[in-house]
Amino acid sequence: MPAREEIAYFGAGPAPLPTAVLEAGSKAFLNYQDTGLSLAEISHRSPLATKIVEDTKAALSSLLEIPDNYEVLFLHGGGSGEFSAVVFNMVAVWVERRRRRAEKELGSDEAKVLERVRSEVREELRLDYLVTGSWSLKASQEAANLLEPLGKGFVNVAMDAREANGGKFGTIPEESSWKLTPTRKEGGKGSAFVYYCDNETVDGVEFPNFPGVLEPTSQDEDYERLVVADMSSNFLSRYVDVHKYAVIFGGAQKNIGITDTTLVIIRKSLLASYPSPSFLHAVGVWSPPVIFHYPTIAKNNSLYNTIPIFSIWIAGEVMRSLLTVHGTQATHSQENLAGEKAKVVYDILDGNPDVFQVCPDRKARSRMNICFRIYGGDKDKEKAFLEGAEKRGLQGLKGHRSVGGVRVSNYNAVPMANVKKLALWLVDFAQPPMT
């Protein structure tokens, strides 16, 4: 049986965790702070649970320098749950903004206000999606499914990267080609939000930085674009200017912790921008299910229902470990380290192009998920590579079942030492057979 230090794990999620965090977690799981209770047993209504939630929020706020006008939420459902939650909540915000405008212009005539907003929902509601990989594609499809009772055409795929890459994901087209819904300042009606996935785990595509075309130019709600980003797989791996976003979310099981915890960072002003459920229903829109209703979760400090306290504590331990090692510059340090680790792998792949073929375009390469094929996708050779890797204690390298190939997941807890072990195998495999 191999020891933990003998295994170099590169799985895409659930992903590796710092050994020190796991060791502390094993003690907390049995007897937390000498209470005689496991963290899996304590009440989510207890002072201990409240403190764990507050401490984890404080650690995240320190790491990301989250402004005071943002709220941190912990929910169930993972990233896929947020595909739905974002639509429910952000459409509700859009409806409320339209309701307030109608009320300001039409007065207190409820029937006229209702009729105007109902008409605007059917004629003007748009959700912009930037589709750069499998997960943003699924998110856009979920949005279309949720809005289908209203009809078609509410989801505007402003960019589908496959169109510029022969039908496959692997690039991020120039921003000038994106077909975003024009804002009112631009002579249009504006969208409820613009959605993108910052890092696509399946396809190995990552936005190198915040899209310039989405840079905030005004805080006037008639002109701004509300940006929603799925950062599940590159969370805490680089500095993020939070104030540019309306909502950031991420599943914990890659860079933050273990499964069953989803983090949401949301601008507080949006939490006060919800119409009543009856008004939403009257204009033909469903109200958010209470388990995904951001204002309810915020009002209850994420303790509306029984949340996984142990999972949140693990996430907090991961965050505190980053602060201990790197201080308040932790995300900047992690960004540098992630880049260094990724460069080790990419340099070998690029140096042996006859053997290894990196899937995405160079300008869109992910630091977190390095996807490549071997000998043009030769299944026997890829199988041989993976089997050889397993023998060397290099695990979790098989590509996603939908695309195949090889995937190296280079998350925060993957040490440089393990990347170097992988590098040795890549070099060895690329050597021509001895004759």
Side-chain angles (χ1 to χ4, degrees):
M1 180 180 296
R4 179 172 175 80
E5 60 270 16
E6 294 175 320
I7 299 298
Y9 185 57
F10 299 95
L17 287 167
T19 298
V21 170
L22 291 175
E23 290 172 342
S26 67
K27 295 177 181 178
F29 196 78
L30 182 63
N31 187 351
Y32 181 64
Q33 294 186 349
D34 296 323
T35 60
L37 291 174
S38 165
L39 264 185
E41 297 171 325
I42 67 168
S43 169
H44 67 297
R45 306 288 186 201
S46 68
L48 275 176
T50 299
K51 187 174 188 306
I52 287 169
V53 169
E54 291 296 341
D55 288 349
T56 304
K57 288 167 66 174
L60 182 62
S61 296
S62 294
L63 283 168
L64 290 183
E65 302 173 35
I66 298 175
D68 291 339
N69 62 324
Y70 282 76
E71 184 64 71
V72 175
L73 311 176
F74 300 106
L75 297 92
H76 298 281
S80 295
E82 289 306 304
F83 296 169
S84 303
V86 161
V87 175
F88 282 125
N89 285 274
M90 297 304 290
V91 168
V93 168
W94 185 91
V95 168
E96 175 62 5
R97 288 183 168 188
R98 293 305 182 100
R99 187 196 68 79
R100 290 177 182 177
R101 185 187 302 147
E103 191 174 70
K104 182 178 179 180
E105 296 174 2
L106 300 175
S108 58
D109 189 324
E110 295 182 1
K112 289 184 178 179
V113 169
L114 175 62
E115 186 54 39
R116 173 163 151 178
V117 177
R118 181 187 288 132
S119 175
E120 290 178 340
V121 166
R122 296 191 176 277
E123 296 175 9
E124 300 178 10
L125 176 61
R126 294 295 181 273
L127 283 57
D128 287 352
Y129 280 78
L130 306 177
V131 177
T132 54
S134 301
W135 293 113
S136 50
L137 175 62
K138 288 185 176 182
S140 69
Q141 291 170 337
E142 176 68 356
N145 289 337
L146 290 174
L147 295 174
E148 189 172 7
L150 286 173
K152 305 286 186 180
F154 294 102
V155 173
N156 170 43
V157 177
M159 178 264 282
D160 186 333
R162 294 172 295 183
E163 295 176 359
N165 196 45
K168 295 182 179 180
F169 292 121
T171 187
I172 299 176
E174 294 295 327
E175 293 179 11
S176 59
S177 70
W178 300 359
K179 297 178 176 62
L180 295 166
T181 301
T183 64
R184 293 177 70 85
K185 184 178 181 180
E186 296 167 337
K189 301 297 184 180
S191 61
F193 59 85
V194 181
Y195 180 108
Y196 74 96
C197 180
D198 207 29
N199 183 75
E200 293 278 3
T201 58
V202 173
D203 308 282
V205 172
E206 183 177 26
F207 280 82
N209 42 51
F210 186 83
V213 72
L214 300 182
E215 286 283 352
T217 58
S218 171
Q219 294 183 343
D220 188 321
E221 66 181 44
D222 286 338
Y223 297 159
E224 70 174 337
R225 285 191 166 98
L226 296 176
V227 180
V228 176
D230 175 359
M231 295 189 181
S232 292
S233 53
N234 62 356
F235 217 93
L236 303 183
S237 72
R238 64 182 178 187
Y239 172 73
V240 173
D241 192 348
V242 174
H243 92 276
K244 295 181 178 181
Y245 300 86
V247 177
I248 296 170
F249 72 84
Q253 69 274 13
K254 300 180 188 297
N255 272 322
I256 310 169
I258 58 179
T259 57
D260 200 28
T261 298
T262 311
L263 290 85
V264 172
I265 303 169
I266 182 170
R267 196 179 300 162
K268 287 180 179 178
S269 61
L270 300 177
L271 296 171
S273 299
Y274 283 65
S276 66
S278 60
F279 189 86
L280 281 172
H281 301 160
V283 299
V285 176
W286 289 322
S287 57
V290 69
I291 200 66
F292 286 148
H293 188 250
Y294 292 158
T296 297
I297 303 302
K299 181 180 178 180
N300 289 275
N301 192 31
S302 297
L303 296 166
Y304 174 79
N305 67 319
T306 308
I307 59 173
I309 294 299
F310 180 72
S311 299
I312 294 172
W313 180 84
I314 287 286
E317 285 292 290
V318 170
M319 296 172 194
R320 286 185 286 274
S321 70
L322 288 173
L323 288 168
T324 298
V325 174
H326 303 294
T328 55
Q329 296 296 304
T331 52
H332 297 279
S333 298
Q334 283 300 134
E335 184 169 3
N336 292 334
L337 180 57
E340 291 169 5
K341 291 188 297 177
K343 185 176 186 301
V344 169
V345 177
Y346 279 126
D347 281 354
I348 296 172
L349 299 179
D350 290 337
N352 297 275
D354 293 336
V355 181
F356 306 118
Q357 295 82 44
V358 178
C359 296
D361 180 77
R362 186 179 293 269
K363 291 188 290 187
R365 287 179 176 179
S366 170
R367 302 162 303 125
M368 296 287 101
N369 306 101
I370 301 169
C371 299
F372 60 96
R373 304 309 298 257
I374 296 177
Y375 288 104
D378 185 302
K379 291 184 179 180
D380 290 336
K381 287 184 169 59
E382 289 181 345
K383 181 179 179 182
F385 175 85
L386 294 171
E387 289 177 348
E390 287 277 346
K391 292 176 181 177
R392 290 162 175 78
L394 306 168
Q395 297 186 7
L397 291 167
K398 188 175 182 179
H400 191 272
R401 63 186 180 278
S402 65
V403 296
V406 180
R407 174 172 55 178
V408 179
S409 293
N410 175 38
Y411 297 135
N412 286 352
V414 174
M416 178 64 86
N418 286 0
V419 173
K420 290 181 177 179
K421 289 179 184 178
L422 172 62
L424 289 174
W425 172 227
L426 288 168
V427 171
D428 287 349
F429 188 84
Q431 297 302 311
M434 296 183 66
T435 57

